[in-house]
Amino acid sequence: MAIIKSNERVGEGIFLLEIEGIFRGKPGQFYMLKVNDEYPLLSRPISIFEITEDTIKFLYQSSGEGTKILSRKSEGDAIYLRGPYGNGFPSVEGKIALVGGGMGAAPLYETGKQLLKKPAITTVDLFLGFSYELVLKDKWEKISSRFFYDIGGYVSNLVPVSNYDVIFSCGPDVMMKKMTEAGKANGVPVYVSIESRMACGIGACLTCTCHTKNGNRKVCKDGPVFLGEDIYEL
Amino acid sequence: MSCNLRVKFNHMEFKNPIVAASGTFGFGEEYNEVYEVETLGGICSKGLTLNAKEGNSGIRLWETPMGILNSIGMENPGVKEFVRKELPKMKKYNTRIIANVGGATEEEYLTIIEELNDTDLDMIELNISCPNVKEGCMAFGIHEKSAANIVKQVKRICRHPLVVKLTPNAENIVKVAASCEAAGADGISLINTFKAMAVDIEKRKAVFENVYAGLSGPAIKPIALQMVHEVSKAVSIPVIGMGGIMNWKDAVEFIMAGAHLVQIGTVNFVNPEAGKEIVLGLQNYMEKEGIKSIDEIRGIV
């Protein structure tokens, strides 16, 4: 069991959960969070928002029953946590754009934080799109060279794709597909992080199978990060 | 006080009665990173078809109160790839290896069985109970005559012990079990998932592209237990019981209801370490209760 340090509402139905302990994980990986011994039976796959020396943080939206129960938990409550799972974002060099939509912003925080530390990275520009409000306003500038955001529109329109060597994207399918298309037109590789329902999280149940150009892949184990071109028909 | 978890299934010995259920354990590899899967009495492979199968599109999983609906659709690499790539890896685990075999037609079942005949598998589980494919499979398990027929055909050529996995959607599961026994089955395993569904009221559509899916998990346990109890009394071949087993107590219930072995399925998703914990829990229980052999408690209810 893992003990909750805080579970703060940071936007409309959006929460930042902080768990005590020393946790492993690289940007783009996820953990399986289970809120109860009983119902619901399955864990929820939630990507790493941030890892600090003595905590791990998850930014999540309270949407289904599992995350609704999670949102009612508070300091001192225990949940089950297992992971990290998945491949995470690849190691890259040069000028990087991070493009996130909605809760797809979550994995980009630790990603930006880690990228900024690397000498081989010259720029980390962050583009976020939200439907109604910008959450965690004061945090994003700290993990990016420049930060741009959009409310209610299409964040993908803000990205000067040809300025970058690599793009990481996470969010709605429409957005990730658009980024992949723009990347292809400009010769810029776009990596996308796919969201999927999962049962086991370790590659056995085949719930999260996704079709790629190279055949069926498991989002939990082969992903969640894939080359956009392998996922989307362009 | 030393207890003995070993179980005889006809002439074959299992080191303990806990077996990983088909479709919930892959080919064991992923779980072997979580715990040593040879802790288990056996591992049942993902359902195998003749050719590789992509599985179903659309949503594949939906949670229900204390259960899950799945519509995976038998995604698997095909029997040849299984024999070439997966079976050699599975055989490295010091435990019983069971291949679950599904098919759309009688010919498909027979061809798969032939492909498996020369392998060093321990057992075949004939899947006539998967509700998630458009043709065959569960269709063979609804009526006693079609079930008996497929078992008879398979039994004629099958060189491995043959266990038949039944569906709770059968018209009369006890009669289907008896007809499988009469047709030569070496054992019965039950139950596969219940045909079930869910509706997305916002989209005003069925959640699953196939409309129907399979329900498993604790929600079905009391019915599974009753079916295992009835079938165990009705046949003289050994029975593998399953349906919503979440812990060692549930496993003991199925054993007391008459099961020689039990399979654990959904719980592997809930807690990947469940297999190990259930074996240990069962051992502790037997030591505490002074039960020297599983035979002492099997079918006592």
Side-chain angles (χ1 to χ4, degrees), chain B residues 217-266:
Chain B
I220 71 167
K221 198 198 87 181
I223 315 177
L225 196 59
Q226 168 263 317
M227 288 177 166
V228 167
H229 186 253
E230 265 193 79
V231 165
S232 307
K233 304 270 183 235
V235 298
S236 51
I237 48 178
V239 164
I240 306 176
M242 80 198 84
I245 293 176
M246 293 295 282
N247 50 50
W248 64 267
K249 289 180 188 170
D250 293 338
V252 171
E253 282 193 55
F254 277 81
I255 292 166
M256 288 185 173
H260 280 71
L261 302 169
V262 299
Q263 287 185 11
I264 53 167
T266 303

Side-chain angles (χ1 to χ4, degrees), chain A residues 2-11 13-21 23 31-35 44-52 54-62 66-82 103 106 109 136 139:
Chain A
I3 305 298
I4 294 175
K5 193 173 180 190
S6 66
N7 190 19
E8 186 192 348
R9 186 183 172 282
V10 295
I14 298 170
F15 295 80
L16 184 63
L17 172 72
E18 190 171 13
I19 308 270
E20 285 173 21
F23 291 94
Y31 273 76
M32 295 292 278
L33 280 72
K34 183 162 158 51
V35 294
R44 298 295 180 266
I46 301 184
S47 58
I48 297 167
F49 175 78
E50 187 182 12
I51 292 184
T52 68
D54 50 5
T55 67
I56 187 166
K57 295 179 193 173
F58 300 95
L59 182 68
Y60 67 96
Q61 186 155 29
S62 155
T67 44
K68 263 185 201 143
I69 296 169
L70 183 58
S71 72
R72 288 185 218 116
K73 303 262 176 195
S74 54
E75 187 186 347
D77 288 346
I79 61 166
Y80 293 96
L81 197 60
R82 55 184 172 91
M103 279 304 97
Y109 190 85
L136 302 173
K139 290 200 84 135

